[in-house]
């Protein structure tokens, strides 16, 4: 098991109420959410660094990435409209 550190956080009461409806393990739920956010931030940093070094992603690269993530390149145009 990973080492843990006990901290105190302050959340809006409404969020805590909804959180308690979702899970009995608030610490685990929050830890998973924080881990997911860290992964997203690290990925964004890596993508930004890549573009700084290699230039912007081409439409072809973006379509390929979309296909790998979502399983088809056909809906790539709808994603850019969002």
């Amino acid at each position: 098991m990973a080492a843990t550190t006990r901290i105190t956080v302050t959340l809006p009461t409404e969020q805590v109420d909804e959180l308690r409806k979702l899970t009995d393990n608030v610490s685990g739920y929050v830890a998973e959410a924080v881990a997911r956010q860290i992964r997203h931030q690290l990925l964004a940093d890596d993508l930004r660094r890549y573009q700084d070094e290699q230039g912007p992603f081409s439409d072809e690269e973006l379509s390929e990435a979309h296909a790998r993530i979502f399983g088809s390149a056909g809906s790539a145009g709808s994603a850019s409209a969002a």
Side-chain angles (χ1 to χ4, degrees):
M1 176 177 241
T4 60
T5 300
R6 186 180 187 95
I7 65 168
T8 300
V9 297
T10 303
L11 298 170
T13 301
E14 297 82 17
Q15 287 183 353
V16 174
D17 292 343
E18 291 302 316
L19 184 57
R20 287 185 173 145
K21 290 178 189 176
L22 294 172
T23 185
D24 292 332
N25 183 358
V26 172
S27 292
Y29 190 96
V30 171
E32 186 175 324
V34 169
R36 183 173 44 251
Q37 186 62 33
I38 290 170
R39 286 191 306 272
H40 284 261
Q41 185 63 50
L42 292 173
L43 176 58
D45 292 346
D46 284 347
L47 293 172
R48 209 172 0 265
R49 191 170 26 260
Y50 177 89
Q51 288 189 89
D52 287 346
E53 295 170 4
Q54 305 295 325
F57 292 108
S58 69
D59 289 341
E60 181 180 327
E61 289 170 318
L62 293 173
S63 291
E64 182 180 338
H66 187 276
R68 287 182 178 202
I69 294 167
F70 298 107
S72 72
S75 58
S78 63
S80 63

